[in-house]
Amino acid sequence: MKHTYTFLFSLVLLSFACQKEYDQAEAENPEYLHRSVYALNEIIIHDIFSPPVASRIYAYSSLAGYEAGRHADSSTQSLAGQVRWLTQLPQPEAGQEYCFPLAGVHAFLTVGRALTFSEDLMDEFRENLYQELKKKSGIRKDVFERSIAYGNAVGLAVMEHTKTDNYKETRTFPKFTVDESNPARWQPTPPDYKDAAEPHWSKIRPFVLDSAGQFLPPPPPPFDTTKGSLFRQKVDEVYHALDVSNRAEREEIAYFWDDNPFVSHHAGHVMFADKKVTPGGHWMNIAMLASRMEKADFVKSSEAYLYTAVGLLEGFISCWHGKYFYNLVRPETYINKYMDQDWRPFLQTPAFPEHTSGHSVISRAASEGLTYLYGDNFTFNDTTNVEYGRTARKFGSFIEASNEASISRLYGGIHYLPALKLGEQQGRKVGELIRARIVTRRKE
């Protein structure tokens, strides 16, 4: 009888061991997350979301991905109670085996699918990704299905929170009213003379900001058409930004950081457009490049996307509040009216007021989070826009990259210098607040 019990016990152990036999390292490979971020980027480009709207998609998707996947590392903690509106999220069942990185990928893609239009593209990507993961890792069916179910539960819970952030309501708010009687105020610009984009974005509920106006920047110099005035000096800086010996370099910098998701071109009566990555998508890609360089695991990579994405959303909320509060005229309008009617900026002027620069704010906010995770002197080659015909650019830190993104708007002819410098300060404050209020690791 003793030998019978020993034999049966051995069978149980063998059965349990066989159940465990799959390539766990492959199943938890952070490349599945990186590729998912890239796929979401491509769908956002395809669907032509504006930069502020894209930042919302990144933020909620990254939050869901972190919350579902963080259980792979016991040192992490939930953001419930840190993100101001986030309550308790679904928890994994005790005693059950999960592949939490897979759950995190699925939560990320679940939210990304729900917040974009091209569900068919997301479905195709997701199906191919999961088939590859199952084939390469040999993950057990029960673990796969349980992990997907948990990721789905977290994704759906996060999606419930999106219903109360005022996004749907702002779709029905009235268009921005242009004050044509005041030359200091923003006017639609060539070539399409579009309506002002997202004039009510400051009404979107933030993740950590106390209010959209928490870091309202100082005002721009007083509007003035007099030659020699302070405002006119700032206009002259824009007008002559490319009248330099290193013009080619400045043009390359302007193009590299253009990140206009929809650049229109006109040839006679025909209009066509180039679709490109948004400014936020550019920084999500930088987070991807950095995470790959660091060989960061899934959880560390998900933290990088989280800090970057929240920086983007909070940065746009803060910046857009200031833009429509000050409602300042763009350089193109001023120069055409008072200086040179034939002048055109190097880049196409975006359809919203000038002060401060969105690139300056969101780039600095995102770079603060990446610096917090990966260090001050992180040297990297930014290859984001190589696929759009640009040459990769090398930076010695994330802050250096954000500073170049900022000054590119002067070189492009679409911002005055004060909007850049004050925008950098505004973004720094946003980024520092995020670092203070979002703590992903428990204190030892």
Side-chain angles (χ1 to χ4, degrees):
M1 180 67 80
K2 179 179 179 182
H3 293 295
T4 302
Y5 284 133
T6 302
F7 175 72
L8 291 175
F9 183 66
S10 298
L11 282 179
V12 171
L13 288 178
L14 179 61
S15 174
F16 183 74
C18 289
Q19 285 186 335
K20 284 283 189 180
E21 287 178 358
Y22 67 87
D23 190 339
Q24 190 170 355
E26 176 61 33
E28 298 179 355
N29 190 339
E31 277 302 309
Y32 294 113
L33 176 61
H34 300 324
R35 288 164 57 187
S36 297
V37 172
Y38 184 83
L40 181 59
N41 244 343
E42 291 295 292
I43 290 172
I44 286 173
I45 293 170
H46 179 274
D47 290 348
I48 319 176
F49 287 104
S50 70
V53 176
S55 74
R56 176 177 179 265
I57 299 171
Y58 292 128
Y60 282 110
S61 300
S62 298
L63 173 65
Y66 168 79
E67 287 289 347
R70 69 176 182 82
H71 299 282
D73 188 331
S74 60
S75 70
T76 62
Q77 60 184 357
S78 174
L79 302 187
Q82 298 186 64
V83 171
R84 294 170 57 236
W85 41 263
L86 184 62
T87 56
Q88 182 72 27
L89 290 170
Q91 298 299 303
E93 186 179 348
Q96 295 292 338
E97 183 181 356
Y98 294 84
C99 176
F100 288 115
L102 172 58
V105 166
H106 189 70
F108 178 91
L109 293 176
T110 296
V111 176
R113 181 184 187 276
L115 296 181
T116 53
F117 301 141
S118 299
E119 295 178 352
D120 55 334
L121 295 179
M122 182 63 82
D123 289 342
E124 181 181 4
F125 167 79
R126 189 165 60 181
E127 178 63 25
N128 291 336
L129 188 77
Y130 292 169
Q131 288 299 327
E132 180 182 340
L133 184 149
K134 287 190 285 188
K135 182 178 180 180
K136 287 185 175 180
S137 70
I139 187 171
R140 294 198 332 259
K141 182 180 179 181
D142 65 314
V143 175
F144 179 87
E145 292 179 349
R146 189 179 302 115
S147 304
I148 292 293
Y150 179 59
N152 192 62
V154 173
L156 293 177
V158 170
M159 279 305 304
E160 282 299 308
H161 287 291
T162 69
K163 297 177 181 179
T164 55
D165 73 348
N166 292 327
Y167 177 77
K168 183 178 180 180
E169 289 77 4
T170 61
R171 303 306 91 187
T172 65
F173 289 173
K175 292 182 178 180
F176 180 72
T177 301
V178 176
D179 183 0
E180 297 181 354
S181 66
N182 189 339
R185 302 297 176 237
W186 179 83
Q187 305 287 326
T189 51
D192 300 319
Y193 298 94
K194 294 180 181 178
D195 291 331
E198 299 296 342
H200 307 290
W201 197 251
S202 63
K203 304 296 191 299
I204 299 297
R205 179 188 60 199
F207 276 42
V208 299
L209 288 171
D210 295 329
S211 69
Q214 183 175 357
F215 299 121
L216 180 68
F223 179 84
D224 199 328
T225 61
T226 307
K227 290 184 179 181
S229 66
L230 179 58
F231 192 85
R232 183 60 170 263
Q233 291 175 29
K234 299 307 172 185
V235 177
D236 287 340
E237 289 175 341
V238 180
Y239 187 70
H240 295 293
L242 297 181
D243 296 340
V244 291
S245 59
N246 62 335
R247 177 187 176 113
E249 180 184 3
R250 288 190 171 192
E251 288 180 349
E252 177 60 26
I253 291 171
Y255 268 136
F256 187 81
W257 292 101
D258 183 19
D259 299 335
N260 187 334
F262 193 82
V263 180
S264 61
H265 303 276
H266 295 259
H269 296 289
V270 178
M271 192 278 279
F272 60 97
D274 293 328
K275 296 196 291 185
K276 295 185 296 184
V277 69
T278 66
H282 193 150
W283 278 97
M284 290 294 283
N285 200 69
I286 290 174
M288 181 191 306
L289 292 169
S291 297
R292 282 174 168 161
M293 284 182 63
E294 281 288 282
K295 295 181 171 54
D297 63 12
F298 175 89
V299 175
K300 187 66 174 288
S301 298
S302 69
E303 289 174 288
Y305 293 126
L306 175 71
Y307 277 106
T308 301
V310 175
L312 298 173
L313 178 62
E314 304 298 89
F316 273 116
I317 292 173
S318 179
C319 181
W320 252 239
H321 173 78
K323 279 184 178 294
Y324 287 95
F325 181 84
Y326 291 118
N327 189 18
L328 183 63
V329 65
R330 286 278 185 169
E332 184 171 13
T333 304
Y334 183 102
I335 292 171
N336 287 167
K337 186 172 183 179
Y338 300 108
M339 298 170 62
D340 182 349
Q341 64 180 2
D342 297 321
W343 183 86
R344 291 292 179 268
F346 188 67
L347 300 178
Q348 195 167 107
T349 301
F352 35 80
E354 194 273 342
H355 193 77
T356 53
S357 158
H359 268 56
S360 304
V361 177
I362 65 103
S363 294
R364 185 56 183 266
S367 67
E368 288 287 336
L370 289 172
T371 299
Y372 172 65
L373 286 176
Y374 292 136
D376 290 319
N377 300 308
F378 192 97
T379 299
F380 66 99
N381 286 322
D382 184 0
T383 58
T384 299
N385 282 322
V386 169
E387 62 184 288
Y388 301 107
R390 310 314 323 166
T391 302
R393 296 189 65 79
K394 185 175 182 179
F395 301 102
S397 69
F398 301 112
I399 301 298
E400 180 184 327
S402 73
N403 288 341
E404 185 177 276
S406 178
I407 198 64
S408 74
R409 313 311 271 173
L410 174 69
Y411 301 159
I414 59 178
H415 272 294
Y416 313 112
L417 192 57
L420 311 184
K421 296 307 177 184
L422 293 174
E424 292 165 19
Q425 296 174 21
Q426 186 178 0
R428 174 180 55 78
K429 292 175 182 178
V430 170
E432 289 175 346
L433 182 71
I434 294 169
R435 287 169 54 173
R437 293 190 174 178
I438 289 185
V439 181
T440 56
R441 301 279 172 164
R442 294 189 180 92
K443 293 182 180 179
E444 295 182 357

